[in-house]
Amino acid sequence: MRILRTIPEVRAAVRDARLANRTVGLVPTMGAFHEGHLSLMRAARAASDLVVVSLFVNPTQFGANEDLGAYPRDEARDAALAEAEGVDILVAPAASEIYPEGFATNIHVAGLTDVLDGASRGAHHFDGVATVVTKLFGIVRPDAAYFGQKDAQQVLVVRRVVRDLDLDVRIVTCPIVREADGLAMSSRNVYLDPDARAQATALNRALDAAAAVSESGERDVDRILSAARRELDDAGITPEYLELRDAETLQTVTRLDRDALLAVAAHVGAARLIDNHLLSAPAANPTDPKGDA
Ligand code: PAF
């Protein structure tokens, strides 16, 4: 595996692959690899000739009061893990390579970024993500790029950028990878002390509880969310948000009559964690013409 730090080096390496008609898969990351990242690398490895992983803790997507300084960084460990997954190129640029003096462009996706994490973290967050991901697409020019469903809103934002700007890249979404007790894997789980680690399992339990209610045929969003809120209350967690929104547009829904994203964010111990489940609309009940359940 080669570790490349400059844009010209990356462009040259990918150009050689393209000239040899090899397909290129990109996994954009901020490092601190866990099984979730490795699952993206495996998906890219299975589908591409050349696998490129970017490792860049993108400063523009962090707010002033967020954890940019504390974000876990261990390039040597990450490089060893990526190499073991058969990654061909690790792109590990300095911030000045990505944002040289005079950098002035910002990509803002309206609407989708006003809610959930966009509302909680501020507009800068998804602007930073959209801008750096677009820049990485421009540098690597991958055939496909791999993202985790855990950052569901991020995937929707990236897909919208690709659609609106006609970028020639296929976005592949990979399932959330969870610990044995259901906690979604996250680089931020290292911030959890043992008590907070145990408390954090309530997030997935809450989503499961809401999913079970919806699977029983309930369509009323308040009642579905109540089931999740009870689990969070029992665990002493006050969510930053707990919402059910249209799975594509992120518009609010009051009844589960289309696929919806059930998303939660909460501070647990020293970590801010997010998680989500996709809920499908219950099948229409033929004995209930109004669709009430
Ligand atoms: O999901 C992440 O790790 C980051 O948001 C990404 C996509 C690498 C952009 O910095």
Side-chain angles (χ1 to χ4, degrees), residues 133-145:
V133 167
T134 305
K135 177 138 181 160
L136 289 168
F137 288 170
I139 296 167
V140 177
R141 297 186 40 230
D143 297 282

Side-chain angles (χ1 to χ4, degrees), residues 28-30 37 56 58 61 71 125 129 132-133 147 151 154:
T29 82
M30 298 204 300
H37 296 109
F56 179 63
N58 176 34
Q61 69 189 75
Y71 200 81
H125 172 63
V129 170
V132 81
V133 167
F147 295 86
D151 295 300
Q154 168 170 281

Side-chain angles (χ1 to χ4, degrees), residues 73-85:
R73 292 169 172 84
D74 187 345
E75 185 184 302
R77 173 185 170 277
D78 285 346
L81 288 169
E83 181 152 39
E85 294 301 332

Side-chain angles (χ1 to χ4, degrees), residues 29-43:
T29 82
M30 298 204 300
F33 294 158
H34 51 67
E35 272 300 315
H37 296 109
L38 304 186
S39 74
L40 303 181
M41 293 178 207
R42 281 172 207 142

